[in-house]
Every structure is written in C-alpha cells, then in structure tokens.
Amino acid sequence: MTLNPADASFTQALEAQLPEGTLKAPEPRYLEEPRGRAKGEAGVIALPRSADEVSAIVRACNAAKVPVIPYGGGTGLVGGQLSDDLPAPVVISLERMNSVRSVNASSNVIEVDAGCILANIHEASEAVDRLFPLSLAAKGTAQIGGNLATNAGGLNVLRYGNARDLCLGLEAVLPNGDIWHGLSPLRKDNTGYDLRNLLIGSEGTLGIITGASLKLFPRPVSHETALLVVPSPEAALTLLAMARDIVGEAVSAFELMSKQALEFLAETMPEVRLPFADFPEWFVLVDFGLSRAQAGQAAMENLFETALDAELVSDGFIASSEQQREDFWTLRESIPDANRMIGSISSHDVSLPLDRLPAFITEGQKLIAGFDGLRLNCFGHLGDGNLHFNAFPPKARNKKEFSHLQGEVKSAVHDMVAQFGGSFSAEHGVGRLKTDDLLKYGDATKIAALKAIKAALDPNGIMNPGVILKT
Amino acid sequence: MTLNPADASFTQALEAQLPEGTLKAPEPRYLEEPRGRAKGEAGVIALPRSADEVSAIVRACNAAKVPVIPYGGGTGLVGGQLSDDLPAPVVISLERMNSVRSVNASSNVIEVDAGCILANIHEASEAVDRLFPLSLAAKGTAQIGGNLATNAGGLNVLRYGNARDLCLGLEAVLPNGDIWHGLSPLRKDNTGYDLRNLLIGSEGTLGIITGASLKLFPRPVSHETALLVVPSPEAALTLLAMARDIVGEAVSAFELMSKQALEFLAETMPEVRLPFADFPEWFVLVDFGLSRAQAGQAAMENLFETALDAELVSDGFIASSEQQREDFWTLRESIPDANRMIGSISSHDVSLPLDRLPAFITEGQKLIAGFDGLRLNCFGHLGDGNLHFNAFPPKARNKKEFSHLQGEVKSAVHDMVAQFGGSFSAEHGVGRLKTDDLLKYGDATKIAALKAIKAALDPNGIMNPGVILKT
C-alpha cells in the first residue's frame, strides 16, 4: 500500500471542508510519549468537535490515501499514538470532544465523548452516587477513547473487568469515513458480530472511537483495606481464594508487591509512609469494597485471622482510618514513580496462567539476576495474573552501563513468558513497540485472520499504519 | 457465490480422509428444531472426534465450496442450525467432542470440548466446589459450543454476564480449515484484535468453535430467595437498585413476572405451586447468592422491610426452606412450558434501555390487546432489560384462528422496540429467522462492516450460509 503525505495541497483542501480552526500545525506535545521511547511526526493536527467532523477528515484521508493517527491523552506506553516513519500523517486529537453527554443513575449508564478525560468520568459518576471503575495512574490525562482503543486494565480489573467489560456501546468512524451509531445502552443485544469488541483493543487501526456508553456500578458503602505479609506469591494466591470465599466479588483489588519495591521507595521517595519495620519479601494490598450487608462484619479481620491460622499470612496492617487507607494505596501507586527514578533497563507487562504464576516468578528472578546481577521489581495485579516485571541495574550502579542488555533481557523474559503460556502484553497493547513480539509469539492462524479483517475494513491501510500488524 | 452439494462423490472422497464412522447419513434429529418453526436438509452428517478432524472436514468443504452447518445441541430458537434451501450441506455435529479437558479450582478455569453439554460443565465445576454460572432451560441438551456461538444469556446474566463474559479462550476451526489455538486461560491479554469475541455470537458463520476455556466462580455459601409483589415494573427497577445497594453483586437473579403467567400456569400446569391467594398484577423473583460475610445477615428480610416502607413492595414470600426456594424457581422456569401449552401467536425476545422499559411495557400491552384482544405474557430478566414478550389468543380461543396475525404482530412489536431504542434479539441471536429484522433495524454502517468481515474470513461463503447476513 502506498500512502501519501498530508502535504500543503491536501491540508488546504481539507481545511476548506471544516470549520475554521479545526486544523493546526504540529506541536511537540502530540509527538512525544511519557518515557521518551518513541518519536512522532505529523503533517497536520486535526481537532474535530464532532463525529461528523471526524468522519469528514477520515473520508478525505481515505480518498487521498493519507495516513491517520488517532490521538487521545497521549499516555500509551507502546507507541500506538506516534510514528516517525510514515508519510506525514494527519493526527486526529479528540481533545475537543470531551463532554459527558448524559448520566443515568437508575439505568447505570453514562454516555461520553471519546475525548473525555477518565478522571472527569469518575467525577460525573460520583455526582450521581455511582462508580465508574476503570482506574489507572494516568487517569488525570488519559481519555476514555484511548482507554477503549487499547482495552486498558488498571487497578479494578479483578472485580469489574478490563475496559471492554465496562463498555455497552460505541460510536465510531470507520476507515471509509462512515459513522457507526452503536451507542446502545443495552445489556443484551445479539444482533450480528461483535463490532464493539472488535474496535475495542484494535488500537486505532480499524476506526476512531468518537463516543461510548459505559456501565456504572453502585458505590461500595465502605472499604476495608490491608497490607498483609505473605510467605510467597503462591500463598498470596491461596489468600485471594480465601478472601473471595469471605466477601465474594467485593475483593476490589489484590496487589502483590515485594521487598524491592519498598527499597526503591525508601531510596527515592522518603515521603511515602512505609509501615513495615523490617521489609518483608512479599506482601499484598487487599481492598474490600463492601455492600451494606457486608459492612460492619469485620470481614478483613476475619480474613487476617483465618489466614494467620492457615499460615498464609505472617503479619499485616488493617487500615484503621481513611488516612491510613490512603497511605496504603499511595505506597502501591508510587511504585511506578520510584521505578522511573531508579531507571529500568527493561520493563515488561506480562500475564500468566494463575497456576503457573508462582513458578514463573521464581524462574524469572533467577533469569534477571543472571544478567550481571540486575535487580527485579516484580509487582502487580495478582488476581488477574498480571505482573509488571521490570529489570533494574544493581545497587548504586547506573542505568546507562547496562542499557546494552535491554534487547536481550526483554527477549529472554518474553521467551520465558511464552514457555509458561503467558502473554507479552497484558494491558498495554501491542502498539508499534511490540509488533515483532506479536509476530514471534502470536498464533499464525489468528494473525492471518486479523490481517484479513484489517484489509477488509481498511483496504487503503490508512488507519494508524504500523500498529499491531505492522501493516 | 455458487455453492455445491455434498454429493456422493464429495462424500466418498471426504470419507477416505477420515476415520471410519465419522460420516453418516442424515437423520431427522439433525433436521428439526424445538418448536418446529424451521426445517433442515443435509447431504451428510459428520461426527468428528477432534479439532483436527473438524479441520479436515472444513478444509475439504472449502476446497469444494460445499456449505457447512455447525450443529451443537440443536436447541437454538432462530433456525441457525437448520437450512432447507442450500445445496445439500455437511452438518458437523460436535456431539462426540464432549469431554471436560481439565478443571482448575485454584485458577478458576475449566477447559472443555465444544460439544460438552452445559449441565455436565455445571457438574464438573461443582465437583471442585466452583460455579459455572451460565444456565438456561435447555441446559441438559445445549452444548457449550452452541452457547458460545450464539452468546447465550439465561438466568444469571445480571450477576455474571452473557456467555461471552464467561469465556477466556477458544480453539476454533476457521473457514479455510486452519485451527486457531486460542485456548488461553489468561484474564488479561492485549495482543491484537479480539478474535474470541468476534467468533462468539457469530452463530457459526465465521468458524466452528471446537474448545473453550471458561471462567469459574466461588459458589455462594447460601441463597436467599423471595417472590415480591410490586405495584409496577417501574417499582421493580427501583427495588433492584435497592437490592444491589444492600448486597452488591450478590443479586444473582431478578425476574419479572405478571398475573398472566400465573393464570397460564394455573390453567396448564396445576402441579406447579403458586403461593399467591390473589394473583398480583406484577411480581419479581429475587435471588441472592451470598458470600460468607453476607450470610446470616437476613439481607432479604432487610430488603423486604425497606421496600415495604418505601411502598415498592406490597406483599411477598421469603423462602424459608430449600424446598420453597425450589418451588419459587419452578414457578419461574415453568412459564415457557405453560406458554407452549397455551400456544403463542408470536414470541419476542427483546431488550430495552432500562429507563424506557416500564413505558415500553405499558405501550406494548396496549399494542398486543389492539390485535383482536390477544393476551400478552411479558416476563423475563428485568435487570438485563431483557423481556420475553409473547402474544397469545384470547381466553378459550384457538391459536389457529389468529395465526394469520403472526407477521403483523411481530412486525408491530419489533417496530415499537426499535422506537424505544431496543433490540429485536436480546439473547437468541439472528439465525435464519431474524435476518430480515437485522436488515430492517440494523445500523447500515455496521452491516456493511460485518459483510466485509464475513467476506474476508470466509471468501467462499461456506460457513453456515444464510445466517445473520443472509449471505
């Protein structure tokens, strides 16, 4: 497929079709990503105000075979929103389409523009005493359209699922410029293939999401939160089963962390409160979001005592105030910042079958240490089998000394993940940075099918070229 | 697309590639459906024992352009498993692929052949103290492959979701005969388009599911069940919100029923116990499946009293024994049988936006009565917005006198559903019986995209031709 750049004549012709001020010259903020691992280029930045304007832009690009890069909050970690090896693309930023269109507490549905910032959706939901559970570190910047395009995960997947599980309907512009009006609030609708789930997770390669109807949930009436010291990741998994036995789906979060995370926090962020006198090898943050019938049952205390008796837990702290609960969460949420300050050699967002996860951690620790004594910080969403598995230089040594190892470490970790039946991208997607991994580890029949779908829906290959399938 | 029949020469050539006894002559049981509303024809019935055999059969059919009809338990209600207007197809029945491949209680995953009968999956899950929540009237016959191909709903959708929400991974044979090995037990895996959800709900038109990995859940430690009399469907929706406020996700079922259902039961099935002295206009069956921390909290009593005070409930019965709980469920589950005995003029499986559902019921009642005084039995899964909305002859009159009204009634109901923003097929699919509805009510952009996907994955159009898209 030969694509053409968004050159001056194309841009002028497009400008004439759109309200004044819809197009602007490229600015650096659309061409960078959080960790500086990818660079972008653009012919022009488009800032549409409606699905109709998105449609007009995409239709023009399709006719002229000009590449389109959809741009949300720009917080993606796999280079899906940036490319510097395409004929100058049109970057379509959804930032002006940022309204909450409606909130319906009795139906538990919120309808939003795709450019809505995640934290604003939280706020609009809370205003009607409801919860929109998708939550992640970048929530103040990330847009729901990007969250859906990448099927974002985050902190509440264990209880409420990934982004796709929280979406009832979509409005989207397909690569030919046609608008799919699929903003249904229906919870059951079996009328044809699941176009919604096909677009969710397609990382902007099959169309641009312009609006979404999302599920809301009752807000738990109270929370119980604890940090519990466990002898091993295996014990942590048994503890999770025990917690679910006690409170069912009310286990809202179950996050595994290790001594390494505490040491990094102590070194880089002394302001973060660490309740442990001695740093334990492994511990978990457990959060219960309780219904009225569960509140006041001291469920966490029940778990703690039962788990102590079963030797699944050796020590721990149950938050006794909202402040302490926040402290526990701050500890967990500060880990990525501490990691950035230490400086990783290679980061991995992997998932494993739950029953193989403890063995993977044991083997993976050896693997990382085998590279000149690199340190591992392994933490994450244990109940989802999702680990952030990141390698760092040995203590008091510099990242740069070891940066030559990056490719080798990444490849060794991903090989091991594949051996254990896991995935090299649990929640961040494929983007442009992991396309080789998909070709290496993906199922050939699946990849052939995905290519056929891409060619069928985007025959000119204009939508976010190079993402996922390298086409 | 010109398709060819599975004639003697094709069948002989195929037979030579397969173990003896894989093919057999057509038998009536593969060519009929439960309510006799569709008829099938077949050139030959194939009974493969493995995905490899399914692959060999599909590959041969694709090469010779012979149509394939996948056949599960044969319980579908929209004619997806039957056709009498194709060149004699190969009907592939999965009945020999009926094993539970593995059950893992600690990971909460069960892996099964697609021909596994749903009730057998329940049994295997219970044997390890887990719940597989998909449940429907045909569970003793329906196969999981068909449940997934049609994205079945059923009684527990409110809490646990539709079939697609319960599936982690698939093994499937695509139309070219290639096998996709996608039987991942991973809960998070963002590596390419969602082929799993594309196949789920595609009703056998994009491939044949041969195996699945499914989610298991902790079994609730106790149940509380009640029949509660409500003044209106609207009050029932408010009652549902109240129930969720009290027990959160533990509301396992919330089924709306009316006086008409009770009258039909009294008339046709006197053995079914009806606890009401006077039949109420509207009532709900509420089921809580409680965790340990909720058990013994008298949550249902709490709901009953709170709802009485709020005048959302005027009367009711809380089951005081397992027997009584079963009686309540028998009442609900006997409604379809009573309906069959009365004999419906036209049945509709519709879903509505929750906030428009009460108004739809009011208008729909008038609509049905407007057809020569037909009676309406409206019942269903209220929390999912899913109503079974069926029209019957006036009392003491015969179905045949009114059968000429069927098309008109169906069309009027589906028109009204569309006006209310609902779906003409909430949980049964499109099959061959509702293809005109999809063309009439479906979004044109979506239909064009589905056709492109179908053509891309099945260029010869061999997989279940005529289903969903009429191609």
Side-chain angles (χ1 to χ4, degrees):
Chain A
M1 241 95 61
T2 312
L3 293 170
N4 302 312
D7 57 19
S9 76
F10 173 81
T11 305
Q12 277 162 23
L14 181 57
E15 203 156 27
Q17 292 179 50
L18 296 165
E20 213 182 304
T22 306
L23 302 186
K24 68 174 179 180
E27 289 171 14
R29 74 178 182 95
Y30 299 102
L31 307 173
E32 293 163 357
E33 63 99 77
R35 297 176 303 186
R37 294 216 175 129
K39 274 279 168 201
E41 283 172 11
V44 66
I45 311 293
L47 302 165
R49 290 174 190 81
S50 67
D52 285 337
E53 289 179 22
V54 175
S55 165
I57 297 163
V58 172
R59 202 176 295 283
C61 289
N62 192 41
K65 300 188 183 176
V66 168
V68 171
I69 297 186
Y71 196 89
T75 60
L77 295 171
V78 289
Q81 71 279 33
L82 300 166
S83 176
D84 62 359
D85 62 358
L86 289 172
V90 176
V91 170
I92 302 183
S93 170
L94 280 288
E95 66 198 68
R96 285 179 177 162
M97 294 175 63
N98 58 5
S99 300
V100 172
R101 297 187 190 175
S102 66
V103 198
N104 189 322
S106 64
S107 302
N108 285 310
V109 179
I110 186 167
E111 193 182 307
V112 298
D113 284 344
C116 236
I117 287 172
L118 182 54
N120 293 345
I121 300 178
H122 293 167
E123 208 172 290
S125 308
E126 276 162 33
V128 294
D129 196 26
R130 290 293 181 273
L131 172 74
F132 179 64
L134 183 69
S135 191
L136 30 85
K139 65 190 172 195
T141 317
Q143 295 174 7
I144 190 66
N147 295 150
L148 290 166
T150 58
N151 186 30
L155 297 167
N156 292 319
V157 175
L158 182 65
R159 179 169 189 172
Y160 299 101
N162 294 293
R164 72 170 72 258
D165 302 303
L166 303 173
C167 179
L168 292 165
L170 290 180
E171 175 192 87
V173 174
L174 300 190
N176 62 5
D178 286 353
I179 303 177
W180 171 41
H181 296 283
L183 269 184
S184 160
L186 302 177
R187 302 199 173 237
K188 274 182 169 179
D189 181 17
N190 276 343
T191 56
Y193 312 155
D194 190 353
L195 191 57
R196 168 171 58 89
N197 273 311
L198 188 64
L199 286 173
I200 296 173
S202 70
E203 304 185 34
T205 64
L206 299 179
I208 302 187
I209 296 168
T210 55
S213 41
L214 305 167
K215 291 184 196 170
L216 297 179
F217 293 82
R219 296 173 74 192
V221 298
S222 73
H223 281 274
E224 296 183 1
T225 307
L227 292 176
L228 302 178
V229 176
V230 292
S232 66
E234 198 162 9
L237 280 171
T238 312
L239 181 67
L240 171 60
M242 190 180 273
R244 282 177 158 163
D245 186 44
I246 295 174
V247 296
E249 289 98 330
V251 185
S252 297
F254 199 90
E255 301 281 308
L256 180 72
M257 290 166 276
S258 74
K259 190 179 204 168
Q260 193 64 74
L262 297 171
E263 287 173 353
F264 282 6
L265 286 168
E267 189 177 331
T268 62
M269 304 177 77
E271 71 278 16
V272 174
R273 285 185 220 180
L274 306 178
F276 303 101
D278 297 312
F279 289 173
E281 286 298 328
W282 293 104
F283 64 105
V284 289
L285 185 158
V286 187
D287 198 296
F288 294 165
L290 300 164
S291 65
R292 223 199 293 167
Q294 290 171 319
Q297 299 307 309
M300 191 64 81
E301 220 167 282
N302 181 346
L303 174 67
F304 190 27
E305 278 162 24
T306 316
L308 268 177
D309 285 350
E311 296 181 7
L312 291 172
V313 159
S314 60
D315 196 2
F317 307 89
I318 298 179
S320 58
S321 66
E322 186 54 32
Q323 179 59 52
Q324 207 176 7
R325 180 172 182 252
E326 269 177 37
D327 287 349
F328 291 178
W329 270 108
T330 300
L331 188 166
R332 166 64 184 88
E333 291 184 329
S334 301
I335 295 177
D337 291 329
N339 284 350
R340 259 186 290 274
M341 287 187 255
I342 299 284
S344 77
I345 307 300
S346 182
S347 299
H348 315 96
D349 159 43
V350 303
S351 65
L352 282 305
L354 284 183
D355 56 341
R356 306 199 68 190
L357 191 140
F360 173 84
I361 292 178
T362 307
E363 292 300 307
Q365 281 176 314
K366 287 184 212 156
L367 181 79
I368 298 295
F371 285 96
D372 298 354
L374 294 185
R375 289 179 296 174
L376 171 71
N377 192 2
C378 166
F379 63 103
H381 320 299
L382 189 70
D384 313 322
N386 180 192
L387 297 176
H388 299 295
F389 198 85
N390 301 347
F392 295 85
K395 197 158 186 182
R397 300 283 292 279
N398 193 292
K399 177 179 170 177
K400 283 186 189 155
E401 293 174 59
F402 298 87
S403 58
H404 63 282
L405 289 175
Q406 191 195 349
E408 219 180 316
V409 170
K410 187 172 290 292
S411 173
V413 170
H414 287 178
D415 282 354
M416 186 176 279
V417 167
Q419 280 162 30
F420 277 80
S423 165
F424 63 86
S425 190
E427 58 177 8
H428 296 162
V430 175
R432 290 183 173 83
L433 300 182
K434 293 187 177 180
T435 50
D436 287 332
D437 291 299
L438 181 59
L439 290 176
K440 183 172 176 189
Y441 303 110
D443 178 275
T445 298
K446 175 178 168 180
I447 291 172
L450 303 196
K451 283 185 175 168
I453 293 165
K454 168 71 174 174
L457 294 182
D458 183 16
N460 293 325
I462 61 157
M463 288 302 306
N464 219 1
V467 162
I468 297 181
L469 293 169
K470 275 195 150 176
T471 53
Chain B
M1 243 99 56
T2 312
L3 294 169
N4 303 310
D7 57 17
S9 75
F10 172 81
T11 305
Q12 278 161 24
L14 180 57
E15 203 157 25
Q17 291 179 51
L18 296 165
E20 215 183 303
T22 306
L23 301 185
K24 69 174 179 182
E27 289 172 14
R29 74 179 182 95
Y30 299 103
L31 308 172
E32 293 164 357
E33 65 98 75
R35 298 176 303 186
R37 295 216 175 131
K39 274 280 167 200
E41 281 172 12
V44 67
I45 311 293
L47 302 165
R49 291 174 189 81
S50 67
D52 285 338
E53 289 179 21
V54 175
S55 164
I57 297 163
V58 171
R59 201 177 296 283
C61 289
N62 191 41
K65 301 188 182 175
V66 167
V68 170
I69 296 186
Y71 195 91
T75 59
L77 295 171
V78 288
Q81 71 278 33
L82 300 166
S83 176
D84 63 358
D85 62 358
L86 290 172
V90 176
V91 171
I92 302 184
S93 169
L94 280 288
E95 67 198 66
R96 284 179 176 163
M97 294 176 62
N98 59 4
S99 300
V100 172
R101 298 186 189 176
S102 66
V103 198
N104 189 322
S106 65
S107 302
N108 285 311
V109 179
I110 187 167
E111 193 182 306
V112 298
D113 283 344
C116 237
I117 287 172
L118 183 53
N120 294 344
I121 300 177
H122 292 167
E123 208 172 290
S125 307
E126 276 162 31
V128 296
D129 195 28
R130 290 293 181 274
L131 172 74
F132 180 65
L134 183 69
S135 191
L136 30 86
K139 64 190 173 196
T141 317
Q143 296 173 7
I144 189 69
N147 295 150
L148 290 166
T150 58
N151 187 29
L155 297 167
N156 292 318
V157 175
L158 183 64
R159 179 169 189 172
Y160 299 101
N162 293 293
R164 72 168 74 256
D165 302 303
L166 303 172
C167 179
L168 292 165
L170 290 180
E171 175 191 86
V173 174
L174 301 190
N176 62 4
D178 286 352
I179 304 176
W180 170 40
H181 296 283
L183 269 183
S184 161
L186 301 177
R187 299 195 177 241
K188 275 182 169 180
D189 181 17
N190 275 344
T191 56
Y193 310 156
D194 190 353
L195 191 57
R196 170 171 58 90
N197 273 312
L198 188 63
L199 287 172
I200 295 174
S202 70
E203 304 186 34
T205 64
L206 299 179
I208 301 186
I209 295 168
T210 55
S213 41
L214 305 167
K215 291 184 196 171
L216 297 178
F217 294 81
R219 297 172 74 191
V221 299
S222 74
H223 281 273
E224 294 183 4
T225 307
L227 291 176
L228 303 178
V229 176
V230 292
S232 66
E234 198 162 8
L237 280 172
T238 312
L239 181 66
L240 171 60
M242 190 180 272
R244 283 178 157 161
D245 186 43
I246 295 173
V247 296
E249 290 97 330
V251 185
S252 297
F254 198 91
E255 300 283 306
L256 180 73
M257 290 167 276
S258 75
K259 191 178 204 169
Q260 194 63 73
L262 296 171
E263 287 173 352
F264 282 5
L265 285 168
E267 189 176 333
T268 62
M269 304 177 78
E271 71 278 15
V272 174
R273 283 185 222 182
L274 307 177
F276 303 101
D278 297 313
F279 290 173
E281 286 297 328
W282 293 103
F283 63 105
V284 289
L285 186 156
V286 188
D287 198 295
F288 293 166
L290 300 165
S291 64
R292 222 200 290 169
Q294 289 171 321
Q297 299 306 309
M300 191 64 82
E301 221 163 287
N302 181 344
L303 174 67
F304 190 27
E305 279 162 23
T306 316
L308 269 177
D309 285 350
E311 295 180 9
L312 292 172
V313 159
S314 61
D315 196 2
F317 307 89
I318 298 177
S320 59
S321 65
E322 186 52 33
Q323 179 59 51
Q324 208 176 9
R325 178 172 183 253
E326 270 176 37
D327 288 348
F328 291 179
W329 270 108
T330 300
L331 189 165
R332 166 64 185 87
E333 291 183 329
S334 300
I335 295 176
D337 290 329
N339 284 349
R340 261 187 290 275
M341 287 186 257
I342 299 284
S344 77
I345 308 300
S346 182
S347 299
H348 316 96
D349 159 43
V350 304
S351 63
L352 283 306
L354 284 183
D355 56 341
R356 306 200 67 190
L357 191 140
F360 173 84
I361 293 178
T362 307
E363 293 300 308
Q365 280 175 316
K366 287 184 213 157
L367 180 78
I368 298 294
F371 285 96
D372 297 352
L374 294 185
R375 290 179 294 173
L376 171 72
N377 193 2
C378 166
F379 63 103
H381 319 300
L382 189 71
D384 314 322
N386 180 192
L387 297 177
H388 300 294
F389 198 84
N390 303 345
F392 295 85
K395 199 160 185 180
R397 300 284 290 279
N398 192 292
K399 175 179 171 177
K400 282 184 190 155
E401 293 174 59
F402 299 88
S403 58
H404 62 282
L405 289 175
Q406 192 195 347
E408 219 181 318
V409 171
K410 188 173 291 292
S411 171
V413 170
H414 287 178
D415 281 354
M416 186 176 280
V417 168
Q419 280 162 30
F420 276 81
S423 166
F424 63 87
S425 191
E427 57 176 11
H428 295 163
V430 176
R432 289 183 174 83
L433 299 182
K434 294 188 177 179
T435 50
D436 287 333
D437 292 298
L438 181 58
L439 289 177
K440 183 171 176 188
Y441 303 109
D443 177 277
T445 299
K446 174 178 168 181
I447 291 172
L450 303 195
K451 283 186 175 169
I453 293 166
K454 169 70 174 175
L457 295 182
D458 183 16
N460 294 325
I462 62 159
M463 289 301 307
N464 220 1
V467 163
I468 298 180
L469 294 169
K470 275 193 151 179
T471 53

